[in-house]
Amino acid sequence: MTSPPLGRNFRLLWSAAVSSRLGDTLRTPALALLAATVTRDPRIIAAVTVAGQLPPLLFGLLGGVYADRWDRRRTMAVVDGVRATVVAALAVAVALDRVGVAVLLLAAFLLAALGTLFDSASFALLPALVPPDALPRANGRLQAGSAVAGGFLGAPAAGVLFAVAPALPFALDAVTFAAAALLVLALAPVPVASANVRRLSVWGEIVEGMRWLRGNRPLWRVTLLAAASNLAISGIMAVLVLYALDVLRVPPAGYGLFAAAAIVGGVAGALGAGRLAARFGTLLALRAVLAAQTVALTGFALARHPVPGGLALAVFAAGTVVWNSLCASYGQRHVPAGLLGRVGAAQRMVGLLTAPVGAVLAGLAAAAYGTVPVAGAAAATFALVTVAAWRTLRSATPGVLSRSGAA
């Protein structure tokens, strides 16, 4: 069966997403390095990190509302234009040596807050640009491009550019945001799905999106399963460097190569997501992915050498990217166009709530018992999630599944 073409609009969106991702991976480590040059107080450096993590929790649902109210193409272009301005101003401040703690906190907070609106609009715009059957492949291509731009290009270059000139990574980030804004503006105009719908209050629209998500049993179950798996993923990521160095005996100089295994696995998973969905259907593929991740994470927890540990990590990362691609595609196919921003934002919010809990629990457990039990607990959590998936996703109502064809 021939896959439907993704088309010019998708290529423009993909280029914009990859450009933004490249800039993000230049800016994020540079911001941490900049904070360390401004102060050595770990509390303030941690506060800069928190300033970039709070907005999705504070404004994520609000971003979903306006992604449904406003023209999504223009919203994404305006947001990237504003982000380009903010980062350019930060680059000038760095070049003039005018950066203080308040500037760092404000920049991190503003960029993350704007990102919540951009993410909701981007998620909701994609179904209008590609055929429904192409959504898994499109989401996979987006994740693959972002992984390559971030893992292989941006992240390794950030430290080098900062060493050359501290303002340089921020200046380049501003350029990538500006380029992304222009690429999005080049998209063909897309009608606003809910232009003629009577508006509720902001809170009323948030509740409407959350109620729709809660009422769609398959999508709600997928959302809860994603939140449960995020608990384990954030836990293992919180102690990954210690586990690699102390348990797998990865040499410090080789840690970057070891971590690259996850990027390679993620790219492979992203490129294969569309084929899995086309062959097995979305829900069956999601259950199979969780089972494969459980096996991979169990192997990772049992490994005591860098090579098997790296291979297991690559397989696990591939499964994570496939899961994310298929979950996004499933929602984009089943949620009404006028609710996509809010429902997508609600899904992300549920997932975000468990991530810090997993990281905190992993840190406490590792401090008390070491990192090996953390890896074992993560594998056990995935096993439970897999059992739950095979029980609950199978009972999805046929009427809901039939609307998606392959699902």
Side-chain angles (χ1 to χ4, degrees):
M1 179 178 177
T2 303
S3 299
L6 295 177
R8 172 183 177 273
N9 278 337
F10 174 77
R11 290 193 295 271
L12 289 170
L13 182 66
W14 182 91
S15 300
V18 171
S19 177
S20 289
R21 178 58 179 163
L22 176 62
D24 288 343
T25 52
L26 289 172
R27 182 189 71 251
T28 302
L31 199 61
L33 291 169
L34 183 61
T37 64
V38 172
T39 178
R40 288 293 180 177
D41 188 335
R43 295 170 298 178
I44 295 177
I45 294 175
V48 174
T49 301
V50 172
Q53 294 173 338
L54 278 178
L57 292 172
L58 297 176
F59 307 123
L61 296 176
L62 188 63
V65 169
Y66 288 105
D68 285 339
R69 286 188 175 191
W70 297 339
D71 181 285
R72 290 156 181 167
R73 180 181 66 97
R74 292 179 182 175
T75 297
M76 292 168 62
V78 169
V79 167
D80 266 350
V82 175
R83 291 199 286 188
T85 303
V86 171
V87 181
L90 178 60
V92 172
V94 172
L96 298 176
D97 198 19
R98 299 285 186 181
V99 175
V101 172
V103 171
L104 291 174
L105 291 172
L106 181 61
F109 189 85
L110 276 177
L111 290 169
L114 290 164
T116 62
L117 178 55
F118 183 92
D119 291 342
S120 292
S122 177
F123 174 84
L125 180 64
L126 183 60
L129 303 182
V130 300
D133 290 342
L135 281 170
R137 185 158 53 99
N139 279 296
R141 294 283 178 86
L142 284 169
Q143 294 218 21
S146 296
V148 171
F152 291 130
L153 300 177
V160 176
L161 293 173
F162 188 88
V164 173
L168 189 54
F170 302 106
L172 290 176
D173 187 27
V175 171
T176 63
F177 276 137
L182 293 174
L183 287 164
V184 170
L185 283 176
L187 290 169
V190 177
V192 181
S194 53
N196 300 318
V197 176
R198 185 176 64 86
R199 291 292 178 197
L200 303 173
S201 66
V202 169
W203 177 247
E205 291 191 26
I206 289 175
V207 171
E208 183 182 29
M210 296 179 68
R211 185 174 294 158
W212 195 98
L213 173 62
R214 183 64 183 87
N216 185 282
R217 291 171 62 188
L219 194 58
W220 177 242
R221 289 167 178 171
V222 167
T223 302
L224 292 181
L225 291 168
S229 61
N230 280 344
L231 189 74
I233 291 172
S234 62
I236 199 67
M237 293 306 297
V239 301
L240 179 62
V241 63
L242 293 177
Y243 190 88
L245 297 176
D246 298 340
V247 179
L248 298 179
R249 304 298 180 188
V250 175
Y255 181 73
L257 182 61
F258 173 80
I263 301 172
V264 173
V267 172
L271 295 177
R275 293 186 180 90
L276 285 173
R279 185 177 180 87
F280 300 108
T282 303
L283 294 183
L284 179 57
L286 286 175
R287 290 183 288 175
V289 164
L290 284 175
Q293 284 187 285
T294 300
V295 173
L297 198 51
T298 301
F300 183 78
L302 296 175
R304 295 297 181 267
H305 188 274
V307 173
L311 291 174
L313 182 64
V315 173
F316 181 76
T320 299
V321 173
V322 172
W323 172 274
N324 291 338
S325 298
L326 297 186
C327 282
S329 304
Y330 190 80
Q332 288 163 338
R333 293 186 69 169
H334 290 87
V335 179
L339 284 166
L340 265 171
R342 283 167 284 169
V343 174
Q347 287 184 278
R348 286 190 293 276
M349 178 68 70
V350 173
L352 283 173
L353 291 175
T354 59
V357 176
V360 170
L361 290 177
L364 294 174
Y369 308 108
T371 57
V372 172
V374 173
T381 301
F382 256 84
L384 293 175
V385 172
T386 300
V387 171
W390 281 84
R391 288 175 60 87
T392 60
L393 294 187
R394 177 166 39 187
S395 62
T397 58
V400 173
L401 299 185
S402 64
R403 291 198 299 270
S404 68

